[in-house]
Amino acid sequence: MKVNITGKNFNTYDRLQETVEKKLDKLDKYFSDEATAKVVLSKERGRDKIEATINAKGAVFRAEEVTDDIYEGIDLAVDKLASQMSRFKGKLRKRYNDNKALKFEFMPEPETEKEEAKVVKAKKFQLEPMSEDEAVLQMEMLQHDFFVFLNMETDSVNVVYKRKDGNYGLLETTY
């Protein structure tokens, strides 16, 4: 697996890079050589943040942790990634009826069987043309984490959402 480590407002020193690579090497056995891992280390409000994303043959696994100790964050992120791989393997097995030739057979076994998520409520609503700022205001008034709207500038469906860091994100659609 190819590992790319980046620091944002964070000094990545050799020992830290070696630790990240060593921990991710434990997950390397689950993938072919084509897998790539992108790790971003940063400081957020005085705490250490690690974002790890692994791309492998169409499957994307992502973990994000904010801790006081970067080494603890690395351990937690790797554990999250292993758990995601385990759940993914379980879903693939279920989908392909325990086909023994199944890819990702090298992933760890699911720790616990969880009921598969399903849509339990559907809702229809009228899209209103508005600006991004109006959409953020509407989202805040509704006390929601996201808001779907018709962007009056681009004439496309967009989504604004509240990020963990307190800022806002924008998802733009294309077709």
Side-chain angles (χ1 to χ4, degrees):
M1 178 183 336
K2 181 181 175 194
V3 179
N4 181 12
I5 302 171
T6 309
K8 276 190 198 173
N9 299 328
F10 195 93
N11 293 329
T12 59
Y13 42 91
D14 291 340
R15 180 174 166 242
L16 180 60
Q17 288 182 358
E18 288 171 8
T19 301
V20 170
E21 289 173 0
K22 181 180 174 185
K23 297 285 183 176
L24 288 176
D25 278 347
K26 293 178 183 176
L27 301 176
D28 190 33
K29 64 185 174 190
Y30 303 126
F31 301 105
S32 66
D33 293 335
E34 298 172 19
T36 59
K38 181 179 178 188
V39 179
V40 178
L41 304 171
S42 60
K43 282 273 191 206
E44 186 175 278
R45 298 181 186 166
R47 299 182 78 198
D48 296 329
K49 179 178 180 180
I50 179 171
E51 298 172 67
T53 306
I54 298 176
N55 292 312
K57 288 191 178 184
V60 178
F61 303 97
R62 185 175 187 286
E64 181 178 314
E65 286 294 328
V66 179
T67 59
D68 291 326
D69 178 32
I70 193 66
Y71 292 100
E72 178 185 347
I74 293 167
D75 289 338
L76 293 171
V78 169
D79 289 346
K80 269 188 184 179
L81 290 168
S83 175
Q84 289 174 14
M85 290 176 215
S86 178
R87 280 183 281 149
F88 183 71
K89 179 184 178 186
K91 286 181 182 181
L92 282 179
R93 278 202 172 142
K94 187 175 181 180
R95 182 177 295 150
Y96 294 106
N97 298 323
D98 289 324
N99 183 353
K100 298 303 178 199
L102 178 67
K103 295 192 190 287
F104 293 99
E105 63 191 52
F106 39 75
M107 289 189 184
E109 291 297 321
E111 295 169 6
T112 58
E113 288 295 322
K114 293 183 180 178
E115 188 175 314
E116 193 156 334
K118 54 186 168 187
V119 177
V120 294
K121 183 178 178 181
K123 191 175 185 178
K124 290 185 180 183
F125 58 93
Q126 182 74 30
L127 288 178
E128 298 293 329
M130 60 181 71
S131 70
E132 295 169 12
D133 293 335
E134 289 174 299
V136 168
L137 181 62
Q138 192 72 23
M139 177 183 66
E140 289 298 327
M141 288 191 317
L142 293 171
Q143 296 181 340
H144 286 173
D145 295 330
F146 69 94
F147 186 77
V148 180
F149 69 102
L150 181 62
N151 191 325
M152 60 194 309
E153 295 171 13
T154 62
D155 199 33
S156 64
V157 177
N158 288 185
V159 178
V160 290
Y161 62 95
K162 190 163 192 134
R163 295 171 40 96
K164 290 180 183 177
D165 64 6
N167 292 314
Y168 301 101
L170 175 69
L171 300 175
E172 298 177 289
T173 59
T174 59
Y175 49 95

